[in-house]
Amino acid sequence: MNPLPHLRTLFEPILTQLATNAAKVPDYLGMIRVSQNPEHGDYQANFAMPLAKELKKKPPDVAAEIIAKLPENDLLELPQVAGPGFINLKLQSDWLAQQVRSMAADSRLGITPLAQPKKFVIDYSSPNVAKPLHVGHIRSTIIGDALTRLLRYLGHSVISDNHLGDWGTQFGMLIHGYRNFLVQEAYAKDPLRELARVYVEIRHLIAKEAEDLAIAKRVFPDDIEDLQTPTVVQCQRETAKLHAGDPDNVALWQEFMPHCLEALHQVYHKLGILPFDHEHGESFYNPMLPGVVADMLAKGIAFESEGAIVVPNVKGNVPKTEEERKKEEPPALIRKKDGAFTYTTSDLATIKYRIEAFQPDAMVYVVDFRQALHFRTFFAQARRWGCSDVALEHVSFGAMLSREGKPLKTREGNASELLPLLDDAVELGLRSYRESYAQRKEFGHDVPELSDAVIQDIAEAIGSGAVKYADLSQNRNSDYKYDPEKMLATEGNTATYMQYAYARCRAIFRKGQIDDARFRSSPPAVMIVHPAERTLCLQLLRFEEALLSAAAEYMPHYITAYLWDLAKSLSVFYENCPVLTAESPELKESRLLLVDLGGRVMKQALDLLGIRTVERM
RNA sequence: GGCCCCGUAGCUCAGCUGGAUAGAGCAACGGAUUUCUAAUCCGUCGGUCACGUGUUCGAAUCACGUCGGGGCUACCA
């Protein structure tokens, strides 16, 4: 149903016949692409120009020759040569109509089953527990969630793993706080809330101490634990005891963990994130770390240097002198000279565990671009260690910046916490709904009276959808300028626009009291009589193309770009093509099919992004 | 110092494995509605694609250099 493979199949024999170098044919076939300008057809083939060079002919002549060799087919109108040798391709409307009809009958919406499904392990979100989630955590979480949904929908097997930071200094803080600042009654009543309060109190205390040291202003709020204030020192002592296996501290850690996880899961739930298959954090891998170091030493991959155990860099070197360190990439430390292990050790233990436990084809890490160098060296070390049969991917994403373009961590206060943002978003969803309701009411439109529960549901779908879409619609490699106004927008290229387009699809069926089932079980013929219908059909058939490219490059914004085009096509269609009052019963049936299918594709595509739809809004 | 990323309309961003006149949204301005949901649609305005040189039929896209911003650079993750 995706037109592109059909087009390639049509041209492949001709190109194979003409090209002197058969190896270039796949490249040429890749030069068939969607036209940027609809005046240039639905697709355009750009291979005549390089092919002409290869054949030492004029591009327009080669283009004409290719067209002349095209076999009889019901796919294309007669192609046109334009400009320096472009071949403009326009699909026959009858072909489009037939394909859309078969797509409607397909429960998978035209997505062809995979010849070779793969098994992925995706590592995303991975926050430090016992700290409130920051807006900076949202990108990994949302992108990873979308990729998990997408790959699964295409037919791959995906194991999602949340590599929690559950063994760090924040537990020293909680333990110290528990011993000194806990209100027992409050803890008994609501441990989660009391622990959060204690955590905040400790941070405030440290911040105050740091201020007394007259350095607070120059330090990021995230890093206040790094200052050697009296409280920090005490917290570090508790952390060290925990790591050393102190029974009291370990017992407290075990007591706290469920509450920390519960807090985390509450936010995930609010965000609408799929449950993780695993949440194996640092503590899970901790017992394996000595073995990792011993094994790497035994295999000669790692060795001692300046008291630490290191693994050479990508080039196989361990820079020693000042000169070398300036020029060369650093080695990775897997054991510090004080005997403690590092994140690299933990990452190596993780990769080994995942290979043994899951035997994946690919392991994907959805992590900040700042760790690019770490992943490059870590992947190289894993390979040397024998992890060779698995594809390793660092799906990186840009920094979260303030509105002024500064790194977000310089922001102060609680403004950048995730939970308040989500609450704001839902509140905004509610306000938007009420405004829209009032306007329609005032205009004299027949507006349904919905229950508070339904309205609340709409507000939540709009709110969390807006926040996610704002992030997912941007190329993940770009830095993201954090702007609540942008995240809460409900006009233009936003989740709300998509949800609205979907709700309108459903409104037609509701208004006409029509059952949609027959448009899926035995779809009627599709008639293309208006350009808006043609555009919509073409857009529907491009669904698979959008998903495949999004998956191939781990780029969710390809899906939002598709959604935006589809939703616009639907809007223009609504504008120009009356459905329930269509001129003939056949046309009405055809349009109902388009509306139903359009809604289904919208809903499915949004679902792949983790964005909900509602039947009315 | 070395390496990596970025610089596109007033703002936020697409486009970057080279392709036709560089596209959206927001903002500004002007229109459309007794609606199958106006959270919409149509139109206008707006660009030396940071700058320079090169590669070629063709460069926002590739190469080199300059300027500006950010990041990483063995004992934090």
Side-chain angles (χ1 to χ4, degrees), chain A residues 43-343:
Chain A
Y43 290 82
Q44 65 181 57
N46 299 340
F47 45 58
M49 289 163 286
L51 189 58
K53 190 168 217 174
E54 187 185 326
L55 302 175
K56 299 193 171 74
K57 293 182 182 173
K58 289 183 178 172
D61 295 346
V62 174
E65 196 179 339
I66 293 168
I67 293 169
K69 284 179 189 291
L70 270 179
E72 284 283 313
N73 67 83
D74 60 4
L75 181 61
L76 285 177
E77 309 273 355
L78 185 65
Q80 301 297 317
V81 181
F86 299 105
I87 304 174
N88 292 338
L89 307 174
K90 189 167 179 187
L91 297 162
Q92 290 190 26
S93 290
D94 284 352
W95 187 85
L96 286 174
Q98 276 170 23
Q99 294 294 313
V100 167
R101 189 186 184 196
S102 359
M103 184 174 172
D106 182 0
S107 64
R108 290 184 45 78
L109 298 169
I111 307 300
T112 48
L114 292 166
Q116 291 180 313
K118 289 183 178 169
K119 188 189 274 183
F120 290 84
V121 174
I122 310 191
D123 182 323
Y124 58 96
S125 196
S126 309
N128 283 331
V129 299
K131 288 184 185 181
L133 277 188
H134 190 269
V135 287
H137 292 111
I138 203 177
R139 297 202 83 179
S140 173
T141 308
I142 291 177
I143 293 168
D145 186 65
L147 293 177
T148 298
R149 291 167 186 265
L150 171 62
L151 292 170
R152 279 184 186 156
Y153 184 67
L154 291 176
H156 295 293
S157 150
V158 178
I159 296 160
S160 61
D161 193 1
N162 192 5
H163 195 260
L164 301 171
D166 60 357
W167 199 239
T169 52
Q170 69 279 27
F171 281 97
M173 293 168 73
L174 275 189
I175 291 168
H176 179 69
Y178 179 91
R179 298 222 163 104
N180 296 284
F181 304 102
L182 195 83
V183 177
Q184 280 298 342
E185 305 80 65
Y187 185 67
K189 203 172 156 195
D190 188 347
L192 189 58
R193 182 181 294 259
E194 178 58 10
L195 283 177
R197 190 196 65 75
V198 165
Y199 181 80
V200 169
E201 184 169 340
I202 290 279
R203 282 182 66 95
H204 282 161
L205 184 62
I206 293 171
K208 202 160 178 248
E209 290 174 355
E211 208 167 323
D212 292 345
L213 291 172
I215 46 181
K217 290 242 151 53
R218 291 192 287 126
V219 172
F220 302 144
D222 272 0
D223 299 338
I224 55 175
E225 301 104 80
D226 292 347
L227 296 177
Q228 294 296 311
T229 74
T231 303
V232 167
V233 171
Q234 281 171 316
C235 292
Q236 283 171 344
R237 202 170 294 154
E238 298 294 1
T239 308
K241 277 170 73 183
L242 172 68
H243 289 180
D246 175 84
D248 291 344
N249 281 13
V250 169
L252 280 178
W253 179 85
Q254 281 167 343
E255 187 177 325
F256 296 156
M257 270 303 284
H259 303 310
C260 296
L261 286 178
E262 194 190 329
L264 191 60
H265 292 161
Q266 278 179 8
V267 181
Y268 287 156
H269 181 74
K270 212 161 217 173
L271 257 182
I273 296 299
L274 292 174
F276 286 90
D277 294 320
H278 300 286
E279 294 194 304
H280 290 153
E282 290 165 342
S283 64
F284 177 82
Y285 296 102
N286 191 51
M288 309 175 196
L289 303 186
V292 170
V293 175
D295 190 50
M296 293 193 92
L297 280 170
K299 289 186 173 149
I301 301 165
F303 47 84
E304 188 270 328
S305 166
E306 297 177 29
I309 307 295
V310 300
V311 183
N313 66 17
V314 177
K315 284 158 82 181
N317 298 332
V318 176
K320 287 270 170 78
T321 65
E322 201 64 23
E323 283 289 293
E324 286 174 342
R325 280 185 191 178
K326 273 186 181 171
K327 294 177 86 169
E328 288 235 33
E329 285 175 6
L333 274 129
I334 56 173
R335 200 174 74 195
K336 304 192 275 188
K337 64 181 167 198
D338 67 2
F341 303 102
T342 70
Y343 58 96

Side-chain angles (χ1 to χ4, degrees), chain A residues 320-571:
Chain A
K320 287 270 170 78
T321 65
E322 201 64 23
E323 283 289 293
E324 286 174 342
R325 280 185 191 178
K326 273 186 181 171
K327 294 177 86 169
E328 288 235 33
E329 285 175 6
L333 274 129
I334 56 173
R335 200 174 74 195
K336 304 192 275 188
K337 64 181 167 198
D338 67 2
F341 303 102
T342 70
Y343 58 96
T344 301
T345 329
S346 182
D347 277 341
L348 287 165
T350 304
I351 201 170
K352 182 130 194 167
Y353 172 82
R354 286 176 180 164
I355 287 173
E356 283 167 7
F358 309 125
Q359 285 118 31
D361 298 295
M363 226 178 284
V364 177
Y365 296 82
V366 185
V367 181
D368 204 310
F369 77 107
R370 278 171 291 202
Q371 292 192 37
L373 176 60
H374 163 64
F375 279 109
R376 214 159 72 82
T377 55
F378 157 56
F379 287 167
Q381 286 141 9
R383 297 253 182 258
R384 246 180 258 154
W385 197 30
C387 308
S388 48
D389 293 334
V390 61
L392 300 172
E393 299 269 5
H394 174 206
V395 172
S396 84
F397 53 86
M400 190 70 94
L401 304 177
S402 73
R403 218 189 295 210
E404 295 75 32
K406 294 273 164 33
L408 198 59
K409 55 185 179 179
T410 61
R411 287 173 67 90
E412 289 177 3
N414 293 333
S416 51
E417 266 184 44
L418 188 49
L419 212 46
L421 175 73
L422 288 177
D423 291 339
D424 286 353
V426 173
E427 201 174 304
L428 175 105
L430 196 59
R431 206 163 59 233
S432 301
Y433 172 80
R434 296 228 161 97
E435 275 170 21
S436 170
Y437 174 92
Q439 273 174 18
R440 282 181 279 181
K441 197 86 173 170
E442 192 180 342
F443 187 72
H445 190 70
D446 180 26
V447 192
E449 298 298 331
L450 304 177
S451 70
D452 285 351
V454 171
I455 291 171
Q456 183 62 24
D457 186 57
I458 292 170
E460 283 168 15
I462 290 171
S464 76
V467 170
K468 287 172 142 180
Y469 192 92
D471 199 328
L472 290 170
S473 59
Q474 188 170 317
N475 185 326
R476 60 175 166 78
N477 287 128
S478 305
D479 287 345
Y480 183 92
K481 212 164 276 184
Y482 170 72
D483 179 357
E485 254 177 62
K486 173 168 75 177
M487 295 190 119
L488 303 183
T490 60
E491 285 175 3
N493 187 359
T494 61
T496 311
Y497 182 92
M498 311 306 149
Q499 290 164 324
Y500 181 71
Y502 174 77
R504 286 178 79 179
C505 290
R506 304 311 302 156
I508 291 175
F509 278 82
R510 205 163 41 240
K511 176 97 173 189
Q513 293 184 303
I514 294 161
D515 182 9
D516 52 29
R518 73 183 142 95
F519 296 94
R520 308 174 189 192
S521 54
S522 53
V526 172
M527 300 168 67
I528 296 181
V529 299
H530 190 281
E533 287 170 310
R534 190 177 187 286
T535 306
L536 177 56
C537 286
L538 186 56
Q539 199 54 39
L540 287 167
L541 295 177
R542 284 179 181 157
F543 183 48
E544 185 184 46
E545 205 177 302
L547 299 192
L548 290 178
S549 50
E553 295 177 48
Y554 305 106
M555 288 287 201
H557 84 290
Y558 290 169
I559 300 179
T560 63
Y562 173 78
L563 270 168
W564 172 236
D565 285 336
L566 177 61
K568 275 190 294 190
S569 303
L570 277 166
S571 282

Side-chain angles (χ1 to χ4, degrees), chain A residues 568-587:
Chain A
K568 275 190 294 190
S569 303
L570 277 166
S571 282
V572 173
F573 169 79
Y574 293 138
E575 204 73 17
N576 295 286
C577 304
V579 178
L580 297 175
T581 55
E583 297 120 62
S584 69
E586 293 79 16
L587 191 58

